[in-house]
Amino acid sequence: MAIDNVAGPAAQRRRGVRHHESVGSRVFDVFNVVVLLALAAVTVLPLLYVLAGSFATEAEIDSRPFFLWPQKFVTDGYDYIFGSGTFLRALLTTICVTLVGTVIQVGLTLTMAYPLSKRFLPGRTLAINLVVFTLVFSGGMIPTYLVVRDLGLLDSYWALILPLAINPFYLLIVKSFFQELPEALEEAARIDGCNELGVFWRIVLPLSKPVIATFSLFYAVGIWNDYMSPLLYIDDERKWTLQVLVRQLTASNADSENALNALEGAFFPQQGVKFAIIVLATLPILLVYPFLQKHFAKGVLIGSVKE
């Protein structure tokens, strides 16, 4: 009975707050819902159209400007793509470059962020200022191309990984995260005989799983979606990544014809192939994202609050 008396007024106050919500507050809530639904529709409808178009016939794609459900389901586009060695080679290339590039980029980011998080590191301020400088200024396309060329990386998969090996924004967030870790843990590990490498490997990395998961996905998405780097540095069509193949198929008529010729066949079915390859290029990221979504807020917000 006493518990009911204590909880009663609080519950009544909550009910009173809900009961006396102003008309303006309710209008604002409705407005928010409408706007968010409109944004969701703008985001989802094009994806549904591409998915539906990948299973539609060429005649239906040409005759109907927009639809979310094909009148007749066909898999001509997918059959054509999976029967092509060019697509399978581009898919395998993209997967390998993404996996290797993600491991290298995350590894370099972590190993650079950890020493920069130590205030006693000589030259730390200068190094951080140089990292911040790159957030505002970059070398540009032509100087970067000249560097890649002079290093002998043209027509090499390393040209897709090394020039963008460390994202300075990600580096600063990871550095701030490392600074927030309790120093007592590291000191205890040193007392037990660990050197700096042991502290980093046995103490810091196990505590950094949310950050590692988050930025692994960020780096992987960046490499997977990158078409500018292979477009600039890769001349051999046999080394095309999936995004370059998508770009060539959807950019212009001439590029589309060249890409379809590279798919080892005639020009059938042109529109179905375009829709199908876009779906296949987007699907892996959509499948991976839900498994790492829970780490996003924790991985990004931790380390961005304090310096």
Side-chain angles (χ1 to χ4, degrees), residues 31-86:
F31 177 78
N32 277 343
V33 172
V34 172
V35 170
L36 292 176
L37 289 176
L39 293 175
V42 170
T43 304
V44 173
L45 289 180
L47 297 177
L48 295 179
Y49 169 64
V50 172
L51 179 61
S54 67
F55 290 102
T57 61
E58 292 290 291
E60 183 176 1
I61 295 174
D62 293 334
S63 62
R64 300 176 65 186
F66 181 81
F67 57 91
L68 299 179
W69 191 267
Q71 295 175 346
K72 179 182 179 181
F73 276 86
V74 295
T75 59
D76 295 338
Y78 294 100
D79 294 338
Y80 190 83
I81 288 174
F82 284 110
S84 166
T86 301

Coordinates of all heavy atoms in Angstrom, one line a residue, residues 31-86:
F31 N 4.2 16.8 -37.5 CA 5.1 17.4 -38.5 C 6.4 16.5 -38.6 O 6.9 16.2 -39.7 CB 5.4 18.8 -38.2 CG 6.4 19.4 -39.2 CD1 5.9 19.8 -40.5 CD2 7.7 19.6 -38.8 CE1 6.8 20.4 -41.4 CE2 8.6 20.2 -39.7 CZ 8.2 20.6 -41.0
N32 N 7.0 16.2 -37.4 CA 8.2 15.4 -37.4 C 7.9 14.0 -38.1 O 8.8 13.5 -38.9 CB 8.7 15.2 -36.0 CG 9.5 16.4 -35.5 OD1 9.9 17.2 -36.3 ND2 9.6 16.5 -34.2
V33 N 6.8 13.4 -37.7 CA 6.5 12.1 -38.3 C 6.3 12.2 -39.8 O 6.9 11.3 -40.6 CB 5.2 11.5 -37.7 CG1 4.8 10.2 -38.4 CG2 5.5 11.2 -36.2
V34 N 5.7 13.2 -40.3 CA 5.4 13.3 -41.7 C 6.8 13.6 -42.5 O 7.0 12.9 -43.5 CB 4.5 14.5 -42.0 CG1 4.4 14.8 -43.5 CG2 3.1 14.2 -41.5
V35 N 7.6 14.4 -41.9 CA 8.9 14.7 -42.5 C 9.8 13.5 -42.6 O 10.4 13.2 -43.6 CB 9.6 15.9 -41.8 CG1 11.0 16.0 -42.3 CG2 8.8 17.2 -42.0
L36 N 9.8 12.7 -41.4 CA 10.7 11.5 -41.4 C 10.1 10.5 -42.3 O 10.9 9.8 -43.0 CB 10.7 11.0 -40.0 CG 11.5 11.9 -39.0 CD1 11.4 11.3 -37.5 CD2 12.9 12.0 -39.4
L37 N 8.8 10.3 -42.4 CA 8.3 9.4 -43.4 C 8.6 9.8 -44.8 O 8.9 8.9 -45.7 CB 6.7 9.2 -43.2 CG 6.3 8.5 -41.9 CD1 4.8 8.6 -41.8 CD2 6.8 7.1 -41.9
A38 N 8.5 11.1 -45.1 CA 8.9 11.5 -46.5 C 10.3 11.3 -46.8 O 10.7 10.8 -47.9 CB 8.6 13.0 -46.6
L39 N 11.2 11.5 -45.8 CA 12.6 11.2 -46.0 C 12.9 9.7 -46.2 O 13.7 9.3 -47.1 CB 13.5 11.8 -44.9 CG 13.5 13.3 -44.7 CD1 14.3 13.7 -43.4 CD2 14.2 13.9 -45.9
A40 N 12.2 8.9 -45.4 CA 12.3 7.5 -45.6 C 11.8 7.0 -47.0 O 12.5 6.2 -47.6 CB 11.5 6.8 -44.5
A41 N 10.7 7.6 -47.4 CA 10.2 7.3 -48.8 C 11.2 7.7 -49.9 O 11.5 6.9 -50.8 CB 8.9 7.9 -49.0
V42 N 11.8 8.9 -49.7 CA 12.8 9.3 -50.7 C 14.0 8.4 -50.8 O 14.6 8.2 -51.8 CB 13.2 10.8 -50.4 CG1 14.4 11.2 -51.3 CG2 12.0 11.7 -50.6
T43 N 14.3 7.8 -49.6 CA 15.5 6.9 -49.5 C 15.2 5.5 -50.0 O 16.0 4.9 -50.7 CB 16.0 6.9 -48.1 OG1 16.3 8.2 -47.6 CG2 17.3 6.0 -48.0
V44 N 14.0 5.0 -49.6 CA 13.7 3.6 -49.9 C 13.1 3.4 -51.3 O 13.4 2.4 -51.9 CB 12.7 3.1 -48.8 CG1 12.2 1.7 -49.2 CG2 13.3 3.1 -47.5
L45 N 12.3 4.3 -51.8 CA 11.6 4.1 -53.1 C 12.6 3.9 -54.2 O 12.4 2.9 -55.0 CB 10.7 5.2 -53.4 CG 9.4 5.3 -52.5 CD1 8.5 6.5 -52.9 CD2 8.6 4.0 -52.6
P46 N 13.7 4.6 -54.4 CA 14.6 4.3 -55.5 C 15.2 2.9 -55.3 O 15.5 2.3 -56.4 CB 15.7 5.4 -55.3 CG 15.0 6.5 -54.6 CD 14.0 5.9 -53.7
L47 N 15.5 2.5 -54.1 CA 16.1 1.2 -53.9 C 15.1 0.1 -54.3 O 15.5 -0.9 -55.0 CB 16.5 1.0 -52.5 CG 17.6 1.9 -51.9 CD1 17.8 1.6 -50.4 CD2 18.9 1.7 -52.7
L48 N 13.8 0.3 -54.0 CA 12.8 -0.7 -54.4 C 12.6 -0.7 -55.9 O 12.4 -1.7 -56.5 CB 11.5 -0.3 -53.7 CG 11.5 -0.5 -52.1 CD1 10.1 -0.1 -51.6 CD2 11.9 -1.9 -51.7
Y49 N 12.7 0.5 -56.5 CA 12.5 0.6 -58.0 C 13.7 -0.2 -58.7 O 13.4 -1.0 -59.6 CB 12.5 2.0 -58.4 CG 12.6 2.2 -59.9 CD1 11.7 1.7 -60.8 CD2 13.7 2.8 -60.5 CE1 11.8 1.8 -62.1 CE2 13.9 3.0 -61.8 CZ 12.9 2.5 -62.7 OH 13.0 2.6 -64.0
V50 N 14.9 0.0 -58.2 CA 16.0 -0.7 -58.8 C 15.9 -2.2 -58.6 O 16.1 -3.0 -59.5 CB 17.4 -0.2 -58.2 CG1 18.5 -1.1 -58.7 CG2 17.6 1.2 -58.6
L51 N 15.5 -2.6 -57.4 CA 15.3 -4.1 -57.1 C 14.2 -4.6 -58.0 O 14.3 -5.7 -58.6 CB 14.9 -4.3 -55.6 CG 14.7 -5.7 -55.2 CD1 15.9 -6.5 -55.4 CD2 14.2 -5.7 -53.7
A52 N 13.1 -3.9 -58.1 CA 12.0 -4.4 -59.0 C 12.4 -4.4 -60.4 O 12.1 -5.4 -61.2 CB 10.8 -3.5 -58.8
G53 N 13.2 -3.4 -60.9 CA 13.7 -3.4 -62.3 C 14.6 -4.5 -62.6 O 14.7 -5.0 -63.7
S54 N 15.3 -5.0 -61.6 CA 16.3 -6.1 -61.8 C 15.6 -7.4 -62.2 O 16.2 -8.3 -62.7 CB 17.2 -6.3 -60.7 OG 16.5 -6.7 -59.5
F55 N 14.3 -7.5 -61.8 CA 13.5 -8.7 -62.0 C 12.5 -8.5 -63.1 O 11.6 -9.3 -63.3 CB 12.8 -9.2 -60.8 CG 13.7 -9.7 -59.7 CD1 14.1 -9.0 -58.6 CD2 14.3 -11.0 -59.9 CE1 15.0 -9.5 -57.7 CE2 15.1 -11.5 -58.9 CZ 15.5 -10.8 -57.8
A56 N 12.5 -7.3 -63.8 CA 11.5 -7.0 -64.8 C 12.1 -7.3 -66.2 O 13.3 -7.4 -66.4 CB 11.1 -5.5 -64.7
T57 N 11.2 -7.4 -67.2 CA 11.6 -7.6 -68.5 C 12.0 -6.3 -69.1 O 11.7 -5.2 -68.6 CB 10.4 -8.1 -69.4 OG1 9.3 -7.2 -69.4 CG2 9.9 -9.4 -68.8
E58 N 12.8 -6.4 -70.2 CA 13.3 -5.2 -70.9 C 12.1 -4.3 -71.4 O 12.2 -3.1 -71.3 CB 14.2 -5.5 -72.1 CG 15.5 -6.2 -71.7 CD 16.4 -5.2 -71.0 OE1 16.9 -4.3 -71.7 OE2 16.6 -5.3 -69.8
A59 N 11.1 -4.9 -71.9 CA 9.9 -4.2 -72.4 C 9.2 -3.4 -71.3 O 8.8 -2.2 -71.5 CB 8.9 -5.1 -73.1
E60 N 9.1 -4.0 -70.1 CA 8.5 -3.3 -69.0 C 9.3 -2.2 -68.5 O 8.8 -1.1 -68.2 CB 8.2 -4.3 -67.9 CG 7.4 -3.7 -66.7 CD 7.1 -4.7 -65.6 OE1 7.5 -5.8 -65.8 OE2 6.5 -4.3 -64.6
I61 N 10.6 -2.3 -68.5 CA 11.5 -1.2 -68.0 C 11.4 -0.1 -69.0 O 11.4 1.1 -68.6 CB 12.9 -1.8 -67.9 CG1 13.0 -2.8 -66.8 CG2 13.9 -0.6 -67.6 CD1 14.4 -3.5 -66.7
D62 N 11.3 -0.3 -70.3 CA 11.3 0.7 -71.3 C 9.9 1.4 -71.3 O 9.8 2.6 -71.6 CB 11.6 0.2 -72.7 CG 13.0 -0.3 -72.8 OD1 13.9 0.3 -72.0 OD2 13.3 -1.2 -73.6
S63 N 8.8 0.7 -71.0 CA 7.5 1.2 -71.1 C 7.0 1.9 -69.8 O 6.1 2.8 -69.9 CB 6.5 0.1 -71.5 OG 6.5 -0.9 -70.5
R64 N 7.5 1.5 -68.6 CA 7.0 2.0 -67.4 C 8.1 2.8 -66.7 O 9.2 2.3 -66.4 CB 6.6 0.9 -66.4 CG 5.4 0.0 -67.0 CD 5.2 -1.1 -66.0 NE 4.6 -0.7 -64.7 CZ 4.4 -1.5 -63.7 NH1 4.7 -2.8 -63.8 NH2 3.9 -1.0 -62.6
P65 N 7.9 4.1 -66.6 CA 8.9 5.0 -66.0 C 9.2 4.7 -64.5 O 10.4 4.9 -64.1 CB 8.4 6.4 -66.2 CG 6.9 6.2 -66.2 CD 6.7 4.9 -66.9
F66 N 8.2 4.2 -63.8 CA 8.5 3.9 -62.4 C 7.5 2.8 -61.9 O 6.3 2.9 -62.2 CB 8.3 5.2 -61.5 CG 8.5 4.9 -60.1 CD1 9.8 4.9 -59.6 CD2 7.5 4.7 -59.2 CE1 10.1 4.7 -58.2 CE2 7.7 4.5 -57.8 CZ 9.0 4.5 -57.4
F67 N 8.0 1.8 -61.2 CA 7.2 0.8 -60.7 C 7.9 0.1 -59.5 O 9.1 0.2 -59.4 CB 6.8 -0.3 -61.7 CG 8.0 -0.9 -62.4 CD1 8.5 -2.1 -61.9 CD2 8.5 -0.3 -63.5 CE1 9.6 -2.7 -62.5 CE2 9.6 -0.9 -64.2 CZ 10.2 -2.1 -63.6
L68 N 7.1 -0.4 -58.6 CA 7.7 -1.1 -57.4 C 7.5 -2.6 -57.4 O 7.9 -3.3 -56.5 CB 7.1 -0.5 -56.1 CG 7.4 1.0 -55.9 CD1 6.7 1.5 -54.6 CD2 8.8 1.3 -55.9
W69 N 6.7 -3.1 -58.4 CA 6.5 -4.5 -58.6 C 6.4 -4.8 -60.0 O 5.5 -4.3 -60.8 CB 5.2 -4.8 -57.8 CG 4.9 -6.3 -57.7 CD1 4.3 -7.1 -58.5 CD2 5.4 -7.1 -56.6 NE1 4.3 -8.4 -58.1 CE2 5.0 -8.5 -56.9 CE3 6.2 -6.9 -55.5 CZ2 5.3 -9.5 -56.0 CZ3 6.5 -8.0 -54.6 CH2 6.0 -9.2 -54.9
P70 N 7.3 -5.7 -60.5 CA 7.2 -6.0 -61.9 C 6.0 -6.9 -62.3 O 5.5 -7.7 -61.5 CB 8.5 -6.8 -62.1 CG 8.8 -7.4 -60.8 CD 8.3 -6.4 -59.8
Q71 N 5.5 -6.7 -63.5 CA 4.4 -7.4 -63.9 C 4.7 -8.9 -64.2 O 3.9 -9.8 -64.0 CB 3.8 -6.8 -65.2 CG 3.3 -5.4 -65.0 CD 2.8 -4.8 -66.3 OE1 3.2 -5.3 -67.4 NE2 2.1 -3.7 -66.3
K72 N 5.9 -9.1 -64.6 CA 6.4 -10.5 -64.8 C 7.8 -10.6 -64.3 O 8.7 -9.8 -64.6 CB 6.4 -10.8 -66.3 CG 6.9 -12.2 -66.6 CD 6.9 -12.4 -68.2 CE 7.4 -13.8 -68.5 NZ 7.4 -14.1 -69.9
F73 N 8.0 -11.6 -63.4 CA 9.3 -11.8 -62.8 C 10.2 -12.6 -63.7 O 9.8 -13.7 -64.2 CB 9.2 -12.5 -61.5 CG 8.9 -11.6 -60.3 CD1 7.6 -11.3 -60.0 CD2 10.0 -11.1 -59.5 CE1 7.4 -10.4 -58.9 CE2 9.7 -10.3 -58.4 CZ 8.4 -9.9 -58.1
V74 N 11.4 -12.0 -64.0 CA 12.4 -12.7 -64.8 C 13.8 -12.5 -64.2 O 14.0 -11.6 -63.4 CB 12.4 -12.2 -66.3 CG1 11.1 -12.5 -67.0 CG2 12.7 -10.7 -66.3
T75 N 14.7 -13.4 -64.5 CA 16.0 -13.3 -63.9 C 17.1 -13.2 -65.0 O 18.2 -13.7 -64.8 CB 16.3 -14.5 -63.0 OG1 16.2 -15.7 -63.8 CG2 15.4 -14.6 -61.8
D76 N 16.7 -12.6 -66.1 CA 17.6 -12.6 -67.3 C 18.8 -11.8 -66.9 O 20.0 -12.2 -67.3 CB 16.9 -11.9 -68.5 CG 15.7 -12.8 -69.0 OD1 15.7 -14.0 -68.7 OD2 14.8 -12.2 -69.6
G77 N 18.7 -10.7 -66.2 CA 19.8 -9.9 -65.9 C 20.8 -10.6 -65.0 O 22.0 -10.6 -65.2
Y78 N 20.3 -11.3 -64.0 CA 21.2 -12.0 -63.0 C 21.8 -13.2 -63.8 O 23.0 -13.5 -63.5 CB 20.4 -12.5 -61.8 CG 19.9 -11.4 -60.9 CD1 18.6 -10.9 -61.0 CD2 20.8 -10.8 -60.0 CE1 18.2 -9.9 -60.2 CE2 20.3 -9.7 -59.2 CZ 19.0 -9.3 -59.3 OH 18.6 -8.2 -58.5
D79 N 21.0 -13.9 -64.6 CA 21.6 -15.0 -65.3 C 22.7 -14.6 -66.2 O 23.8 -15.2 -66.4 CB 20.5 -15.7 -66.2 CG 19.4 -16.4 -65.3 OD1 19.7 -16.7 -64.2 OD2 18.3 -16.6 -65.8
Y80 N 22.5 -13.4 -66.9 CA 23.5 -12.9 -67.8 C 24.8 -12.5 -67.0 O 25.9 -12.8 -67.5 CB 23.0 -11.7 -68.5 CG 23.8 -11.1 -69.6 CD1 23.7 -11.7 -70.9 CD2 24.7 -10.1 -69.4 CE1 24.5 -11.2 -71.9 CE2 25.4 -9.6 -70.5 CZ 25.3 -10.1 -71.7 OH 26.1 -9.7 -72.7
I81 N 24.6 -11.9 -65.8 CA 25.8 -11.4 -65.0 C 26.6 -12.6 -64.5 O 27.8 -12.7 -64.6 CB 25.3 -10.5 -63.9 CG1 24.8 -9.2 -64.5 CG2 26.4 -10.3 -62.9 CD1 24.2 -8.2 -63.4
F82 N 25.9 -13.6 -63.9 CA 26.6 -14.7 -63.2 C 27.2 -15.6 -64.3 O 28.0 -16.5 -64.0 CB 25.6 -15.4 -62.3 CG 25.4 -14.7 -61.0 CD1 24.1 -14.2 -60.7 CD2 26.4 -14.6 -60.1 CE1 23.9 -13.5 -59.5 CE2 26.2 -14.0 -58.9 CZ 24.9 -13.4 -58.6
G83 N 26.7 -15.5 -65.5 CA 27.3 -16.3 -66.6 C 28.5 -15.6 -67.2 O 29.2 -16.2 -68.1
S84 N 28.9 -14.4 -66.7 CA 30.0 -13.7 -67.2 C 31.2 -13.8 -66.3 O 31.1 -13.5 -65.1 CB 29.6 -12.2 -67.4 OG 30.7 -11.4 -67.6
G85 N 32.3 -14.1 -66.8 CA 33.6 -14.1 -66.0 C 34.0 -12.8 -65.6 O 34.7 -12.6 -64.5
T86 N 33.6 -11.7 -66.3 CA 34.1 -10.4 -66.0 C 33.4 -9.9 -64.7 O 34.1 -9.4 -63.8 CB 33.7 -9.4 -67.1 OG1 34.3 -9.8 -68.3 CG2 34.1 -8.0 -66.8

